[in-house]
Amino acid sequence: MKSNEPKDKPVTRRQLLASMGAAGALIAAGAGLPFEAHAAKVTVPAADNKSWLNVKDFGALGNGYDDDAPFIQSAIDAAAADKGGAVFFPSGKYYINRGLLMRNKVSLIGAGAENTFIKAGNADMFMLYSGSGINNYSVEGITLEGVGPSGATGDIVERGIYAVEGANITLRNCMFTGVANGIRLVRAQHVIISNCTFIKVFGSQSQAEGYGIVVEGGANHTIQGNHFKNVSKHCVHLTMGSVYSHVTGNVMEYSEDAAIMVSSKVTACSNHLIEGNIVAPYAVTDQEHSSTYGIRLKDACSYNTVVNNVISRAASAGIQLEAGENAGDDRPYGNSIAGNSIYGSVRGIAILNADANSVKNNDVRRTEYGILLDTVGEGSSSSTKRNIVTSNSIYQSSAAAVRVGSASCEANIVFGNAGHDNAEGLKDSGTNTATAGF
Protein backbone atom coordinates (compact mmCIF):
# COMPACT_ATOMS: atom_id res chain seq x y z
CA MET A 1 0.00 0.00 0.00
CA LYS A 2 1.29 3.44 -0.86
CA SER A 3 1.79 6.03 1.86
CA ASN A 4 1.29 9.74 1.59
CA GLU A 5 3.88 10.35 4.33
CA PRO A 6 7.37 11.48 3.28
CA LYS A 7 10.53 9.88 4.57
CA ASP A 8 11.98 11.33 7.77
CA LYS A 9 14.96 12.85 5.99
CA PRO A 10 15.28 14.33 2.51
CA VAL A 11 17.65 12.64 0.11
CA THR A 12 20.91 14.52 -0.17
CA ARG A 13 22.59 15.16 -3.49
CA ARG A 14 25.26 12.58 -2.56
CA GLN A 15 22.63 9.93 -1.79
CA LEU A 16 20.72 10.67 -4.98
CA LEU A 17 23.84 10.37 -7.10
CA ALA A 18 24.70 7.08 -5.40
CA SER A 19 21.20 5.75 -6.05
CA MET A 20 21.54 6.57 -9.75
CA GLY A 21 24.57 4.32 -10.17
CA ALA A 22 26.51 5.05 -13.35
CA ALA A 23 24.38 8.09 -14.08
CA GLY A 24 25.27 9.51 -10.69
CA ALA A 25 28.95 8.90 -11.31
CA LEU A 26 28.76 10.81 -14.57
CA ILE A 27 27.01 13.74 -12.92
CA ALA A 28 29.50 13.80 -10.06
CA ALA A 29 32.26 13.93 -12.66
CA GLY A 30 30.56 16.88 -14.36
CA ALA A 31 29.40 14.92 -17.41
CA GLY A 32 25.64 15.45 -17.03
CA LEU A 33 23.05 12.70 -17.24
CA PRO A 34 23.78 9.90 -19.75
CA PHE A 35 20.49 10.37 -21.59
CA GLU A 36 19.43 13.14 -23.90
CA ALA A 37 16.18 14.93 -24.60
CA HIS A 38 16.41 16.31 -28.10
CA ALA A 39 20.18 16.69 -28.16
CA ALA A 40 20.31 18.64 -24.90
CA LYS A 41 21.63 17.35 -21.58
CA VAL A 42 19.69 17.68 -18.37
CA THR A 43 21.42 20.20 -16.14
CA VAL A 44 21.75 19.25 -12.49
CA PRO A 45 21.92 22.04 -9.92
CA ALA A 46 25.32 22.05 -8.27
CA ALA A 47 24.37 23.30 -4.82
CA ASP A 48 24.99 20.57 -2.20
CA ASN A 49 23.21 22.51 0.52
CA LYS A 50 19.80 22.09 -1.11
CA SER A 51 17.51 19.09 -0.72
CA TRP A 52 17.38 16.46 -3.42
CA LEU A 53 14.07 14.65 -3.18
CA ASN A 54 13.08 11.56 -5.12
CA VAL A 55 9.32 11.42 -5.78
CA LYS A 56 9.38 7.66 -5.25
CA ASP A 57 10.54 8.19 -1.68
CA PHE A 58 7.28 10.07 -1.14
CA GLY A 59 5.13 7.24 -2.46
CA ALA A 60 4.92 7.91 -6.21
CA LEU A 61 5.07 4.75 -8.33
CA GLY A 62 5.33 6.02 -11.89
CA ASN A 63 3.49 2.94 -13.19
CA GLY A 64 1.14 4.84 -15.50
CA TYR A 65 -2.16 4.16 -13.73
CA ASP A 66 -1.99 4.77 -9.95
CA ASP A 67 -2.56 8.42 -9.01
CA ASP A 68 0.81 9.91 -8.11
CA ALA A 69 -0.37 13.54 -7.73
CA PRO A 70 -0.52 13.69 -3.88
CA PHE A 71 2.93 12.14 -3.51
CA ILE A 72 4.54 14.41 -6.09
CA GLN A 73 2.91 17.42 -4.45
CA SER A 74 4.32 16.32 -1.09
CA ALA A 75 7.81 16.23 -2.59
CA ILE A 76 7.40 19.69 -4.13
CA ASP A 77 6.11 21.12 -0.85
CA ALA A 78 8.95 19.51 1.12
CA ALA A 79 11.55 21.03 -1.23
CA ALA A 80 9.94 24.45 -0.86
CA ALA A 81 9.85 24.13 2.92
CA ASP A 82 13.62 23.59 2.84
CA LYS A 83 13.98 26.96 1.03
CA GLY A 84 14.25 25.31 -2.34
CA GLY A 85 15.67 22.19 -3.88
CA ALA A 86 15.39 19.62 -6.65
CA VAL A 87 12.61 17.07 -7.03
CA PHE A 88 13.81 14.15 -9.12
CA PHE A 89 11.56 11.91 -11.24
CA PRO A 90 13.16 8.59 -12.18
CA SER A 91 12.07 7.02 -15.46
CA GLY A 92 8.38 6.19 -15.52
CA LYS A 93 4.92 7.52 -16.27
CA TYR A 94 3.46 9.48 -13.39
CA TYR A 95 -0.32 9.55 -13.63
CA ILE A 96 -2.01 12.56 -11.97
CA ASN A 97 -5.71 13.08 -11.30
CA ARG A 98 -5.23 16.69 -10.21
CA GLY A 99 -2.84 19.45 -11.18
CA LEU A 100 0.46 20.07 -9.43
CA LEU A 101 1.20 23.41 -7.74
CA MET A 102 4.70 24.75 -8.24
CA ARG A 103 6.55 26.45 -5.40
CA ASN A 104 9.33 29.00 -5.08
CA LYS A 105 12.88 27.86 -5.82
CA VAL A 106 11.92 24.29 -6.71
CA SER A 107 13.37 22.42 -9.69
CA LEU A 108 11.54 19.47 -11.21
CA ILE A 109 14.08 17.25 -12.97
CA GLY A 110 13.17 14.17 -14.97
CA ALA A 111 15.32 11.42 -16.41
CA GLY A 112 14.95 12.96 -19.88
CA ALA A 113 11.82 13.80 -21.84
CA GLU A 114 11.75 10.37 -23.46
CA ASN A 115 12.00 8.61 -20.10
CA THR A 116 9.96 10.59 -17.57
CA PHE A 117 6.28 11.32 -18.26
CA ILE A 118 3.62 13.16 -16.30
CA LYS A 119 0.26 12.04 -17.66
CA ALA A 120 -3.01 13.93 -17.11
CA GLY A 121 -5.82 11.75 -15.80
CA ASN A 122 -8.65 14.22 -16.38
CA ALA A 123 -9.65 16.67 -19.07
CA ASP A 124 -9.18 20.45 -18.72
CA MET A 125 -6.42 20.17 -16.14
CA PHE A 126 -3.59 22.61 -15.46
CA MET A 127 -0.92 19.92 -15.20
CA LEU A 128 1.67 22.26 -13.63
CA TYR A 129 0.39 25.58 -12.26
CA SER A 130 1.96 28.56 -10.53
CA GLY A 131 0.19 31.68 -9.35
CA SER A 132 1.22 35.17 -8.35
CA GLY A 133 4.36 35.31 -6.24
CA ILE A 134 5.70 31.91 -7.31
CA ASN A 135 9.12 32.61 -8.81
CA ASN A 136 12.54 31.14 -9.48
CA TYR A 137 11.55 27.60 -10.41
CA SER A 138 12.40 25.27 -13.27
CA VAL A 139 11.12 22.19 -15.07
CA GLU A 140 13.51 20.06 -17.07
CA GLY A 141 13.69 16.71 -18.83
CA ILE A 142 10.00 15.77 -18.47
CA THR A 143 7.23 14.97 -20.95
CA LEU A 144 3.78 16.34 -20.14
CA GLU A 145 1.16 14.19 -21.84
CA GLY A 146 -2.39 15.50 -21.94
CA VAL A 147 -5.88 14.15 -22.48
CA GLY A 148 -6.46 16.48 -25.43
CA PRO A 149 -9.22 18.89 -26.40
CA SER A 150 -12.61 18.79 -24.72
CA GLY A 151 -14.16 21.71 -26.58
CA ALA A 152 -14.09 23.78 -23.38
CA THR A 153 -14.22 27.56 -23.61
CA GLY A 154 -13.03 30.21 -21.23
CA ASP A 155 -10.06 29.90 -18.92
CA ILE A 156 -10.58 26.36 -17.61
CA VAL A 157 -8.98 24.33 -20.35
CA GLU A 158 -6.13 21.86 -20.48
CA ARG A 159 -2.62 23.32 -20.26
CA GLY A 160 0.67 21.56 -19.75
CA ILE A 161 2.23 24.46 -17.82
CA TYR A 162 0.32 27.56 -16.73
CA ALA A 163 2.22 30.39 -15.03
CA VAL A 164 0.48 33.53 -13.81
CA GLU A 165 2.55 36.56 -12.80
CA GLY A 166 5.67 34.57 -12.00
CA ALA A 167 9.26 35.57 -12.71
CA ASN A 168 12.59 33.91 -13.43
CA ILE A 169 11.17 30.61 -14.63
CA THR A 170 13.07 28.11 -16.78
CA LEU A 171 11.34 25.40 -18.85
CA ARG A 172 13.93 23.34 -20.69
CA ASN A 173 14.30 20.05 -22.55
CA CYS A 174 10.64 19.13 -21.99
CA MET A 175 8.06 17.63 -24.34
CA PHE A 176 4.37 18.45 -24.62
CA THR A 177 2.30 15.87 -26.47
CA GLY A 178 -1.39 15.13 -26.91
CA VAL A 179 -2.28 18.32 -25.05
CA ALA A 180 -4.94 20.91 -25.82
CA ASN A 181 -2.40 23.63 -24.95
CA GLY A 182 1.29 23.49 -24.18
CA ILE A 183 2.43 26.53 -22.15
CA ARG A 184 0.57 29.71 -21.19
CA LEU A 185 2.28 32.67 -19.49
CA VAL A 186 0.11 35.47 -18.10
CA ARG A 187 1.80 38.72 -17.05
CA ALA A 188 4.97 36.81 -16.29
CA GLN A 189 8.53 38.15 -16.43
CA HIS A 190 11.83 36.63 -17.53
CA VAL A 191 10.73 33.15 -18.58
CA ILE A 192 13.05 30.94 -20.63
CA ILE A 193 11.49 28.20 -22.78
CA SER A 194 14.26 26.35 -24.59
CA ASN A 195 14.87 23.07 -26.41
CA CYS A 196 11.34 21.83 -25.81
CA THR A 197 9.22 19.79 -28.23
CA PHE A 198 5.53 20.42 -28.89
CA ILE A 199 4.02 17.60 -30.92
CA LYS A 200 0.36 16.91 -31.63
CA VAL A 201 -1.06 19.96 -29.85
CA PHE A 202 -4.69 19.34 -30.62
CA GLY A 203 -7.46 21.91 -30.82
CA SER A 204 -11.17 22.00 -31.51
CA GLN A 205 -13.59 24.67 -32.66
CA SER A 206 -12.98 26.34 -29.30
CA GLN A 207 -10.67 29.36 -29.50
CA ALA A 208 -9.20 28.32 -26.13
CA GLU A 209 -7.49 25.18 -27.44
CA GLY A 210 -4.71 24.26 -29.84
CA TYR A 211 -1.75 26.53 -28.93
CA GLY A 212 1.87 25.63 -28.39
CA ILE A 213 3.02 28.67 -26.37
CA VAL A 214 0.86 31.68 -25.47
CA VAL A 215 2.44 34.77 -23.91
CA GLU A 216 -0.24 37.10 -22.56
CA GLY A 217 1.24 40.39 -21.38
CA GLY A 218 4.48 40.39 -19.44
CA ALA A 219 8.00 40.96 -20.72
CA ASN A 220 11.51 39.75 -21.34
CA HIS A 221 10.93 36.14 -22.31
CA THR A 222 13.20 33.89 -24.34
CA ILE A 223 11.57 31.25 -26.58
CA GLN A 224 14.51 29.57 -28.24
CA GLY A 225 15.46 26.35 -29.99
CA ASN A 226 12.08 24.66 -29.63
CA HIS A 227 10.50 22.24 -32.10
CA PHE A 228 6.81 22.36 -32.97
CA LYS A 229 5.14 19.69 -35.08
CA ASN A 230 1.44 19.45 -35.92
CA VAL A 231 -0.06 22.31 -33.90
CA SER A 232 -3.73 23.12 -34.41
CA LYS A 233 -3.52 26.91 -34.06
CA HIS A 234 -0.39 29.00 -33.35
CA CYS A 235 2.94 27.54 -32.38
CA VAL A 236 3.81 30.80 -30.60
CA HIS A 237 1.28 33.56 -29.82
CA LEU A 238 2.41 36.87 -28.29
CA THR A 239 -0.60 38.93 -27.22
CA MET A 240 -2.21 41.36 -24.76
CA GLY A 241 0.59 43.93 -24.80
CA SER A 242 3.53 41.60 -24.27
CA VAL A 243 6.91 43.29 -24.85
CA TYR A 244 10.65 42.72 -25.19
CA SER A 245 10.76 39.00 -25.87
CA HIS A 246 12.97 36.93 -28.16
CA VAL A 247 11.52 34.19 -30.36
CA THR A 248 14.60 32.75 -31.99
CA GLY A 249 15.88 29.60 -33.63
CA ASN A 250 12.66 27.58 -33.41
CA VAL A 251 11.54 24.97 -35.97
CA MET A 252 7.84 24.85 -36.80
CA GLU A 253 6.53 21.98 -38.92
CA TYR A 254 2.88 22.55 -39.75
CA SER A 255 0.49 24.88 -38.02
CA GLU A 256 -3.13 25.18 -39.06
CA ASP A 257 -3.03 28.95 -38.46
CA ALA A 258 -0.05 31.31 -38.10
CA ALA A 259 3.13 29.62 -36.94
CA ILE A 260 4.07 32.83 -35.06
CA MET A 261 1.27 35.24 -34.21
CA VAL A 262 1.68 38.69 -32.62
CA SER A 263 -1.63 40.42 -31.92
CA SER A 264 -3.04 42.91 -29.47
CA LYS A 265 -5.62 45.64 -29.00
CA VAL A 266 -5.17 49.04 -27.33
CA THR A 267 -1.83 48.15 -25.68
CA ALA A 268 0.68 47.29 -28.36
CA CYS A 269 2.81 44.17 -28.51
CA SER A 270 6.16 45.81 -29.10
CA ASN A 271 9.92 45.44 -29.26
CA HIS A 272 9.90 41.70 -29.85
CA LEU A 273 12.71 40.06 -31.80
CA ILE A 274 11.55 37.24 -34.09
CA GLU A 275 14.73 35.86 -35.59
CA GLY A 276 16.11 32.80 -37.30
CA ASN A 277 12.99 30.63 -37.11
CA ILE A 278 12.17 27.96 -39.70
CA VAL A 279 8.56 27.41 -40.78
CA ALA A 280 8.22 24.35 -43.00
CA PRO A 281 5.76 21.63 -43.97
CA TYR A 282 6.36 18.28 -42.30
CA ALA A 283 5.87 16.40 -45.57
CA VAL A 284 7.99 17.33 -48.56
CA THR A 285 5.32 17.36 -51.26
CA ASP A 286 3.98 20.10 -53.45
CA GLN A 287 0.53 19.71 -51.89
CA GLU A 288 1.55 20.32 -48.28
CA HIS A 289 1.47 23.72 -46.58
CA SER A 290 3.50 24.66 -43.53
CA SER A 291 0.88 27.01 -42.08
CA THR A 292 -1.75 29.53 -43.11
CA TYR A 293 0.69 32.34 -42.29
CA GLY A 294 4.33 31.96 -41.40
CA ILE A 295 4.55 35.10 -39.22
CA ARG A 296 1.55 37.37 -38.69
CA LEU A 297 1.46 40.73 -36.91
CA LYS A 298 -2.12 41.86 -36.34
CA ASP A 299 -3.56 45.11 -34.96
CA ALA A 300 -1.50 46.95 -32.31
CA CYS A 301 2.03 45.71 -33.02
CA SER A 302 4.82 48.29 -32.96
CA TYR A 303 8.59 48.34 -33.33
CA ASN A 304 9.02 44.61 -33.65
CA THR A 305 11.91 43.13 -35.62
CA VAL A 306 11.30 40.13 -37.89
CA VAL A 307 14.66 39.10 -39.29
CA ASN A 308 16.39 36.16 -40.97
CA ASN A 309 13.49 33.73 -40.79
CA VAL A 310 12.96 30.99 -43.40
CA ILE A 311 9.32 30.35 -44.35
CA SER A 312 8.30 27.72 -46.89
CA ARG A 313 4.84 27.21 -48.40
CA ALA A 314 2.64 29.21 -46.07
CA ALA A 315 -0.80 28.99 -47.68
CA SER A 316 -1.82 32.67 -47.52
CA ALA A 317 1.31 34.71 -46.79
CA GLY A 318 4.81 34.14 -45.56
CA ILE A 319 4.77 37.32 -43.45
CA GLN A 320 1.68 39.49 -43.04
CA LEU A 321 1.14 42.77 -41.17
CA GLU A 322 -2.50 43.74 -40.98
CA ALA A 323 -5.31 45.59 -39.25
CA GLY A 324 -9.05 45.38 -39.74
CA GLU A 325 -11.29 47.92 -41.46
CA ASN A 326 -12.13 49.85 -38.28
CA ALA A 327 -8.86 49.35 -36.43
CA GLY A 328 -8.09 53.02 -35.88
CA ASP A 329 -4.72 53.27 -34.18
CA ASP A 330 -4.64 49.52 -33.53
CA ARG A 331 -2.46 48.81 -36.54
CA PRO A 332 1.09 47.54 -37.15
CA TYR A 333 3.45 50.51 -36.99
CA GLY A 334 7.20 50.90 -37.23
CA ASN A 335 8.08 47.22 -37.60
CA SER A 336 11.19 46.02 -39.41
CA ILE A 337 10.95 43.05 -41.80
CA ALA A 338 14.45 42.26 -43.02
CA GLY A 339 16.59 39.44 -44.36
CA ASN A 340 13.83 36.83 -44.45
CA SER A 341 13.60 34.04 -47.05
CA ILE A 342 10.09 33.15 -48.21
CA TYR A 343 9.15 30.46 -50.71
CA GLY A 344 5.95 29.20 -52.26
CA SER A 345 3.22 31.36 -50.69
CA VAL A 346 0.40 33.19 -52.49
CA ARG A 347 1.85 36.40 -51.05
CA GLY A 348 5.40 36.58 -49.86
CA ILE A 349 5.07 39.66 -47.63
CA ALA A 350 1.75 41.50 -47.24
CA ILE A 351 1.26 44.92 -45.61
CA LEU A 352 -2.46 45.63 -45.12
CA ASN A 353 -3.75 48.70 -43.24
CA ALA A 354 -0.33 49.17 -41.66
CA ASP A 355 1.92 52.24 -41.52
CA ALA A 356 5.61 53.19 -41.43
CA ASN A 357 6.99 49.67 -41.63
CA SER A 358 10.29 48.79 -43.29
CA VAL A 359 10.58 45.83 -45.70
CA LYS A 360 14.12 45.38 -46.93
CA ASN A 361 16.69 42.80 -48.02
CA ASN A 362 14.23 39.93 -48.13
CA ASP A 363 14.42 37.05 -50.62
CA VAL A 364 11.00 36.07 -51.97
CA ARG A 365 10.42 33.33 -54.56
CA ARG A 366 7.57 31.47 -56.28
CA THR A 367 4.60 33.60 -55.22
CA GLU A 368 1.66 35.35 -56.86
CA TYR A 369 2.69 38.70 -55.37
CA GLY A 370 6.17 38.95 -53.95
CA ILE A 371 5.37 41.98 -51.78
CA LEU A 372 1.85 43.39 -51.51
CA LEU A 373 0.81 46.75 -50.07
CA ASP A 374 -2.96 47.05 -49.91
CA THR A 375 -5.97 47.96 -47.79
CA VAL A 376 -8.80 46.05 -46.15
CA GLY A 377 -12.34 47.45 -46.18
CA GLU A 378 -13.67 50.85 -47.23
CA GLY A 379 -13.67 52.82 -43.96
CA SER A 380 -11.54 55.84 -43.07
CA SER A 381 -9.06 53.58 -41.30
CA SER A 382 -8.51 51.58 -44.47
CA SER A 383 -5.16 52.96 -45.54
CA THR A 384 -1.57 51.85 -45.86
CA LYS A 385 0.90 54.72 -45.55
CA ARG A 386 4.60 55.59 -45.43
CA ASN A 387 5.96 52.06 -45.68
CA ILE A 388 9.40 51.51 -47.22
CA VAL A 389 10.01 48.57 -49.56
CA THR A 390 13.61 48.47 -50.75
CA SER A 391 16.50 46.20 -51.71
CA ASN A 392 14.43 43.02 -51.84
CA SER A 393 15.18 40.14 -54.21
CA ILE A 394 11.99 38.79 -55.80
CA TYR A 395 11.77 35.90 -58.25
CA GLN A 396 9.01 34.03 -60.09
CA SER A 397 6.02 36.10 -59.04
CA SER A 398 3.14 35.13 -61.29
CA ALA A 399 1.27 38.48 -60.93
CA ALA A 400 3.82 41.10 -59.84
CA ALA A 401 6.99 41.33 -57.81
CA VAL A 402 5.64 44.37 -55.91
CA ARG A 403 2.00 45.40 -55.93
CA VAL A 404 0.61 48.64 -54.46
CA GLY A 405 -3.05 47.80 -54.51
CA SER A 406 -5.24 50.89 -54.10
CA ALA A 407 -5.38 54.68 -54.00
CA SER A 408 -5.67 54.44 -50.20
CA CYS A 409 -2.05 53.26 -50.18
CA GLU A 410 -0.41 56.67 -49.75
CA ALA A 411 3.15 57.96 -49.74
CA ASN A 412 4.80 54.56 -49.70
CA ILE A 413 8.39 54.25 -50.91
CA VAL A 414 9.24 51.44 -53.32
CA PHE A 415 12.64 51.40 -54.97
CA GLY A 416 15.83 49.39 -55.45
CA ASN A 417 14.16 45.96 -55.63
CA ALA A 418 15.41 43.39 -58.12
CA GLY A 419 14.77 39.90 -59.45
CA HIS A 420 13.91 37.79 -62.46
CA ASP A 421 11.05 35.83 -64.02
CA ASN A 422 8.31 38.02 -62.55
CA ALA A 423 5.18 38.73 -64.60
CA GLU A 424 5.64 42.41 -63.75
CA GLY A 425 8.11 44.32 -61.62
CA LEU A 426 6.03 47.04 -59.93
CA LYS A 427 2.28 47.30 -60.34
CA ASP A 428 1.31 50.59 -58.71
CA SER A 429 -2.25 51.78 -58.03
CA GLY A 430 -1.24 53.84 -55.02
CA THR A 431 -1.20 57.57 -54.34
CA ASN A 432 2.13 59.43 -54.38
CA THR A 433 4.25 56.29 -54.36
CA ALA A 434 7.94 57.25 -54.35
CA THR A 435 9.98 55.04 -56.65
CA ALA A 436 13.31 56.67 -55.93
CA GLY A 437 14.86 57.83 -52.69
CA PHE A 438 17.94 59.02 -50.91
Side-chain angles (χ1 to χ4, degrees), residues 363-367 393-398 401 418-422:
D363 187 282
V364 182
R365 299 171 185 260
R366 299 192 302 276
T367 62
S393 299
I394 306 170
Y395 299 86
Q396 297 173 291
S397 297
S398 61
H420 299 286
D421 301 322
N422 300 298

Side-chain angles (χ1 to χ4, degrees), residues 328-352:
D329 292 333
D330 287 343
R331 57 177 58 221
Y333 182 92
N335 301 285
S336 176
I337 314 298
N340 301 283
S341 298
I342 301 170
Y343 310 108
S345 300
V346 174
R347 294 168 289 187
I349 300 171
I351 310 294
L352 310 173

Side-chain angles (χ1 to χ4, degrees), residues 329-415:
D329 292 333
D330 287 343
R331 57 177 58 221
Y333 182 92
N335 301 285
S336 176
I337 314 298
N340 301 283
S341 298
I342 301 170
Y343 310 108
S345 300
V346 174
R347 294 168 289 187
I349 300 171
I351 310 294
L352 310 173
N353 288 1
D355 297 340
N357 301 286
S358 172
V359 181
K360 63 181 180 180
N361 297 323
N362 300 282
D363 187 282
V364 182
R365 299 171 185 260
R366 299 192 302 276
T367 62
E368 181 178 349
Y369 292 106
I371 298 173
L372 174 66
L373 280 66
D374 210 342
T375 57
V376 176
E378 302 294 334
S380 59
S381 295
S382 297
S383 63
T384 295
K385 301 177 180 180
R386 302 185 303 279
N387 298 283
I388 300 175
V389 178
T390 185
S391 302
N392 299 283
S393 299
I394 306 170
Y395 299 86
Q396 297 173 291
S397 297
S398 61
V402 179
R403 167 70 165 145
V404 183
S406 79
S408 296
C409 297
E410 300 179 32
N412 295 288
I413 299 172
V414 180
F415 71 94

Side-chain angles (χ1 to χ4, degrees), residues 7 82 127-128 180 206 254 329 339 351 383-384:
K7 299 291 184 181
D82 198 32
M127 297 178 68
L128 295 177
S206 168
Y254 188 69
D329 292 333
I351 310 294
S383 63
T384 295

